[in-house]
């Protein structure tokens, strides 16, 4: 939902496979967040999800899930963030 993890102190987040969408500003102000794994189940991402996440270095997301819209929302707040495939476990 909206600002679901607002100002959280987490450094890494792995979104569960049960999640289908990530709401607007979900990680707003999570300045310690360094990496996040977005599973294939996520088909939509709200605007401004990484606003205030200055230290976000890597978003793990598979190519099949990475639409132009999702890429735009990642790059908008974090132009230098790496977008990589989800590592195999």
């Amino acid at each position: 939902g909206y600002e679901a993890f607002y100002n959280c102190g987490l450094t890494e987040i792995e979104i569960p496979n049960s999640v289908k969408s990530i709401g607007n500003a979900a990680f707003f102000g999570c300045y310690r967040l360094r990496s996040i794994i977005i599973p294939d189940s996520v088909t939509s991402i709200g605007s401004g999800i990484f606003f205030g996440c200055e230290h976000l270095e890597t978003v793990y997301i598979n190519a099949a899930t990475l639409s132009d819209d999702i890429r735009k929302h990642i790059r908008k707040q974090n132009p230098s963030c790496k977008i990589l495939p989800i590592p195999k476990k």
Side-chain angles (χ1 to χ4, degrees), residues 20-37:
K20 302 210 181 311
S21 67
I22 300 173
N24 293 338
F27 304 101
F28 178 78
C30 296
Y31 67 94
R32 291 186 180 149
L33 185 62
R34 299 228 185 268
S35 69
I36 185 167
I37 297 174

Side-chain angles (χ1 to χ4, degrees), residues 35-39 58-62 82-87:
S35 69
I36 185 167
I37 297 174
I38 301 174
T58 311
V59 174
Y60 294 98
I61 186 169
N62 289 326
K82 294 180 216 142
I83 300 173
L84 300 173
I86 296 172

Side-chain angles (χ1 to χ4, degrees), residues 7-68:
N7 209 23
C8 76
L10 299 172
T11 58
E12 298 177 347
I13 296 175
E14 183 171 356
I15 305 292
N17 287 323
S18 58
V19 174
K20 302 210 181 311
S21 67
I22 300 173
N24 293 338
F27 304 101
F28 178 78
C30 296
Y31 67 94
R32 291 186 180 149
L33 185 62
R34 299 228 185 268
S35 69
I36 185 167
I37 297 174
I38 301 174
D40 294 342
S41 62
V42 174
T43 56
S44 72
I45 290 181
S47 64
I49 62 165
F50 297 121
F51 187 77
C53 299
E54 298 91 20
H55 296 105
L56 185 64
E57 298 169 350
T58 311
V59 174
Y60 294 98
I61 186 169
N62 289 326
T65 307
L66 184 61
S67 67
D68 288 338

